[in-house]
């Protein structure tokens, strides 16, 4: 509380000041009335100055064994001839004690605390070094300024001395672990040193919120989990803090036994539709059985055959060789058992072995020769059609015939010379000509007339023509010439 004082100018001033002090102590508008009082005094007397003391906070926390600085600022609007600063210390339920004071630049400490408190006037701030638990309490500073009159102001600062917290330690009870829905867990957090410690529980790095199965103690140092569930598994830690320090404990993971949950069977091969696995004959398929559980489950593989069941393997994996199984459809069951919780779960599935893969492979092998035959026939037909098209279009036999007919006589003789003989008698023989059916050629052949021939003019000729060529000497024998002509005519008539 601050107050404004002045030397009385009339006899009723003291009484008025008393009334103002009572109003300031009772009313929540103390600062407003204090300013109003000073303004009235300033207007009436002219010597009241707006003296104010400023502190950063009315409560300051200090660390035991370290120095603590209590900053104080003040200002006024009058010429001061003397400035007096006084510091008092007050504990609850005790009278204030004088610590030290100063007038202008002279410091007068209490002999009991002369080495503990320091003041550097005209600065009103106080230094406490070192700070102890016994130094906790209220510190009162008062400043008096004398000019044409005397004004005074005061402030109170509460000092709280704290001991930094040490690293907390968490204990879980019971430490051996509990079974879900059956046991309970108690977590305790303790610190070796620390004052005004506040505890905060963390789970997986996040604050642990209140829930239906969480119960906290009054200071949050203990949390009780009743009953324990699978969802309560995780990493727990305790955060201990006070106004001057904060420390977090090591992570602890309570042991909770649960399960099995979510039992299922997977395979690395085959087609899975629901609880049915389709496998090709000759394949080796590996089945894996898994479920959430603590401790790990004990897995058993059971096969059903002829209305009977028997265990075929233990462990999470089962290998089935399809070509060594007598049946095409086999029923299996995976059983998961937790020997701590006493709970178990099972899942059924069916394996169907098919020979689709092998049949496809055999069909593929058979289809390869057929494909080669079809390809060869197609190529042959394409080549034949191409050859026929070229033959029809260009007719090379006609071109050769035309060239032979247009060849001059000297060329024939030259050809005879190159053949190695000049006599036409050496070329005597029977020659075979194959004629291609053609409307023009047919007409051309049929236009010739032979004596005694029954051929119809204009008829197409498709038969083979044999022509006898005979070179007649200069004096041929009449009988020989006539027999040759008759023989040629008979050949043509027979073919016609």
């Amino acid at each position: 509380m601050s107050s404004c004082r002045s030397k009385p100018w009339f006899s009723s001033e003291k009484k008025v000041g008393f009334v103002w002090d009572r109003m300031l102590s009772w009313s929540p508008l103390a600062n407003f009335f204090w300013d109003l009082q000073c303004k009235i005094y300033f207007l009436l007397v002219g010597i009241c100055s707006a003296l104010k003391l400023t502190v950063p906070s009315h409560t300051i926390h200090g660390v035991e064994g370290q120095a603590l600085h209590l900053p104080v600022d003040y200002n006024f609007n009058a010429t001061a001839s003397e400035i007096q600063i006084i510091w008092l210390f007050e504990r609850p339920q005790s009278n204030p004690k004088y610590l030290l004071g100063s007038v202008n630049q002279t410091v007068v400490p209490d002999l009991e605390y002369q080495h503990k408190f320091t003041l550097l006037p005209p600065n009103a701030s106080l230094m406490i070094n070192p700070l102890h638990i016994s130094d906790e309490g209220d510190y009162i500073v008062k400043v008096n300024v004398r000019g044409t009159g005397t004004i005074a102001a005061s402030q109170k600062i509460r000092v709280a001395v704290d001991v930094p917290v040490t690293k907390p330690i968490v204990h879980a009870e019971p430490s051996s672990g509990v079974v879900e829905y059956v046991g309970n867990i108690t977590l305790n957090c303790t610190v070796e040193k620390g004052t005004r410690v506040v505890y905060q529980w963390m789970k997986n790095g996040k604050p642990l919120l209140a829930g239906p199965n969480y119960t906290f103690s009054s200071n949050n140092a203990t949390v009780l989990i009743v009953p324990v569930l699978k969802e309560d598994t995780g990493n727990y830690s305790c955060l201990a803090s006070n106004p001057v320090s904060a420390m977090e404990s090591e992570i602890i993971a309570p042991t909770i036994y649960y399960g099995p949950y979510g039992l299922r069977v997977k395979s690395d091969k085959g087609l899975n539709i629901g609880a049915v696995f389709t496998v090709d004959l000759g394949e080796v398929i590996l089945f894996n059985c898994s479920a959430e559980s603590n401790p790990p489950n004990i897995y058993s593989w059971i096969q059903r055959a002829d209305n009977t069941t028997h265990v075929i393997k233990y462990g999470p994996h089962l290998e089935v060789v399809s070509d060594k199984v007598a049946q095409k459809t086999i029923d299996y069951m995976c059983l998961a058992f937790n020997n701590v919780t006493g709970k178990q779960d099972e899942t059924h599935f069916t394996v169907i072995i098919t020979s689709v893969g092998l049949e496809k492979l055999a069909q593929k092998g058979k289809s390869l020769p057929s494909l080669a035959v079809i390809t060869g026939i197609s190529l042959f037909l394409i080549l034949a059609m191409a050859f026929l098209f070229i033959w029809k279009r260009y007719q090379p036999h006609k071109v050769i015939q035309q060239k032979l007919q247009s060849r001059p006589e000297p060329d024939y003789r030259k050809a005879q010379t190159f053949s190695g003989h000049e006599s036409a008698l050496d070329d005597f023989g029977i020659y075979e000509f194959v004629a291609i059916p053609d409307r023009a050629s047919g007409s051309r052949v049929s236009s010739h007339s032979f004596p005694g021939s029954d051929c119809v003019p204009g008829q197409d000729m498709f038969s083979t023509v044999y022509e006898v060529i005979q070179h007649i000497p200069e004096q041929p024998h009449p009988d020989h010439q006539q027999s040759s002509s008759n023989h040629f005519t008979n050949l043509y008539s027979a073919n016609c």
Side-chain angles (χ1 to χ4, degrees):
M1 179 186 297
S2 301
S3 62
C4 182
R5 295 287 186 269
S6 64
K7 188 175 181 179
W9 281 64
F10 45 87
S11 59
S12 62
E13 182 184 359
K14 184 175 182 180
K15 184 176 181 180
V16 173
F18 173 77
V19 174
W20 279 109
D21 288 341
R22 300 293 293 177
M23 292 178 64
L24 290 173
S25 62
W26 294 337
S27 173
L29 303 176
N31 292 332
F32 172 77
F33 285 111
W34 181 84
D35 292 337
L36 181 61
Q37 181 184 11
C38 288
K39 291 179 181 179
I40 293 174
Y41 281 171
F42 180 76
L43 293 174
L44 296 178
V45 184
I47 61 172
C48 181
S49 177
L51 177 62
K52 287 186 178 181
L53 299 182
T54 305
V55 295
S57 176
H58 290 280
T59 302
I60 297 178
H61 293 271
V63 179
E64 184 187 28
Q66 299 182 6
L68 180 64
H69 182 249
L70 304 180
V72 177
D73 292 330
Y74 66 94
N75 60 345
F76 57 93
N77 298 324
T79 303
S81 59
E82 289 183 309
I83 299 177
Q84 184 182 25
I85 301 172
I86 300 173
W87 278 95
L88 303 176
F89 174 64
E90 182 183 22
R91 288 194 183 96
Q93 308 299 326
S94 63
N95 296 324
K97 291 182 179 182
Y98 175 81
L99 299 179
L100 77 172
S102 68
V103 178
N104 296 334
Q105 302 295 326
T106 303
V107 178
V108 181
D110 186 285
L111 296 179
E112 184 180 357
Y113 308 110
Q114 61 180 343
H115 300 296
K116 188 178 184 66
F117 301 97
T118 304
L119 181 66
L120 299 175
N123 191 339
S125 300
L126 179 68
M127 176 67 71
I128 307 173
N129 189 21
L131 188 65
H132 298 293
I133 296 294
S134 58
D135 296 327
E136 185 172 284
D138 296 329
Y139 289 79
I140 303 170
V141 58
K142 182 180 181 183
V143 177
N144 299 319
V145 178
R146 175 180 292 180
T148 54
T150 302
I151 58 176
S154 64
Q155 281 284 4
K156 181 184 291 187
I157 303 174
R158 179 169 180 79
V159 173
V161 182
D162 290 307
V163 177
V165 297
T166 56
K167 189 171 184 177
I169 300 175
V170 177
H171 298 278
E173 298 178 2
S175 59
S176 58
V178 294
V179 178
E180 64 171 349
Y181 297 108
V182 177
N184 306 323
I185 291 181
T186 301
L187 301 177
N188 295 312
C189 183
T190 58
V191 294
E192 185 177 353
K193 294 181 180 180
T195 57
R196 284 185 280 271
V197 182
V198 177
Y199 298 94
Q200 173 67 57
W201 287 97
M202 311 291 290
K203 180 183 178 182
N204 298 328
K206 298 180 179 180
L208 181 62
L209 304 178
N213 59 331
Y214 293 102
T215 303
F216 297 92
S217 62
S218 58
N219 62 348
N220 273 10
T222 303
V223 59
L224 179 63
I225 306 176
V226 180
V228 175
L229 305 176
K230 170 184 174 293
E231 291 75 16
D232 297 326
T233 57
N235 298 322
Y236 291 83
S237 62
C238 174
L239 178 64
S241 62
N242 63 8
V244 297
S245 61
M247 293 291 288
E248 187 174 1
S249 69
E250 297 289 342
I251 293 176
I252 183 174
T255 303
I256 301 176
Y257 301 110
Y258 61 89
Y261 293 115
L263 181 64
R264 58 181 179 177
V265 175
K266 290 184 177 181
S267 65
D268 60 340
K269 296 179 182 178
L271 178 61
N272 176 221
I273 302 176
V276 178
F277 295 86
T278 304
V279 185
D280 290 340
L281 183 64
E283 285 188 339
V284 178
I285 184 171
L286 181 65
F287 293 97
N288 179 50
C289 191
S290 62
E292 296 184 46
S293 176
N294 185 36
N297 297 302
I298 299 174
Y299 296 97
S300 303
W301 297 91
I302 301 173
Q303 180 179 351
R304 178 180 295 178
D306 300 329
N307 295 327
T308 60
T309 59
H310 60 280
V311 178
I312 58 176
K313 192 177 184 300
Y314 292 98
H317 305 293
L318 173 65
E319 186 180 74
V320 176
V321 182
S322 59
D323 56 356
K324 293 184 179 180
V325 178
Q327 300 177 355
K328 298 298 182 180
T329 302
I330 312 112
D331 294 327
Y332 291 98
M333 180 178 67
C334 177
L335 176 65
F337 175 72
N338 190 323
N339 59 354
V340 176
T341 63
K343 296 181 180 180
Q344 69 179 25
D345 194 7
E346 61 185 37
T347 179
H348 300 260
F349 64 98
T350 303
V351 177
I352 300 176
I353 300 175
T354 63
S355 57
V356 176
L358 296 178
E359 291 177 357
K360 288 183 178 179
L361 185 61
Q363 292 177 0
K364 184 178 180 181
K366 293 179 180 179
S367 64
L368 290 177
S370 301
L371 182 61
V373 171
I374 294 173
T375 304
I377 295 174
S378 301
L379 290 175
F380 175 79
L381 292 176
I382 292 173
L383 293 175
M385 293 178 65
F387 178 77
L388 182 60
F389 173 77
I390 295 173
W391 183 267
K392 292 287 289 180
R393 182 174 181 84
Y394 298 102
Q395 296 182 357
H397 66 286
K398 293 183 178 182
V399 176
I400 296 172
Q401 184 178 3
Q402 291 176 1
K403 288 184 178 181
L404 291 175
Q405 291 177 358
S406 62
R407 182 176 297 181
E409 185 67 19
D411 291 341
Y412 279 105
R413 296 186 178 274
K414 188 176 181 180
Q416 291 176 359
T417 304
F418 281 108
S419 63
H421 58 274
E422 296 181 358
S423 176
L425 294 176
D426 297 332
D427 297 329
F428 182 83
I430 299 174
Y431 294 85
E432 180 180 357
F433 295 89
V434 179
I436 302 298
D438 186 77
R439 175 65 61 179
S441 60
S443 300
R444 186 169 55 249
V445 173
S446 62
S447 61
H448 297 279
S449 61
F450 295 91
S453 175
D454 294 332
C455 293
V456 180
Q459 183 179 359
D460 293 339
M461 189 173 190
F462 295 91
S463 60
T464 305
V465 179
Y466 294 90
E467 181 180 3
V468 178
I469 301 174
Q470 181 181 13
H471 295 279
I472 305 300
E474 293 181 358
Q475 293 180 355
H477 196 277
D479 297 336
H480 181 74
Q481 181 179 1
Q482 183 66 29
S483 62
S484 297
S485 176
N486 294 336
H487 180 70
F488 177 79
T489 303
N490 294 333
L491 287 175
Y492 180 81
S493 300
N495 284 281
C496 185

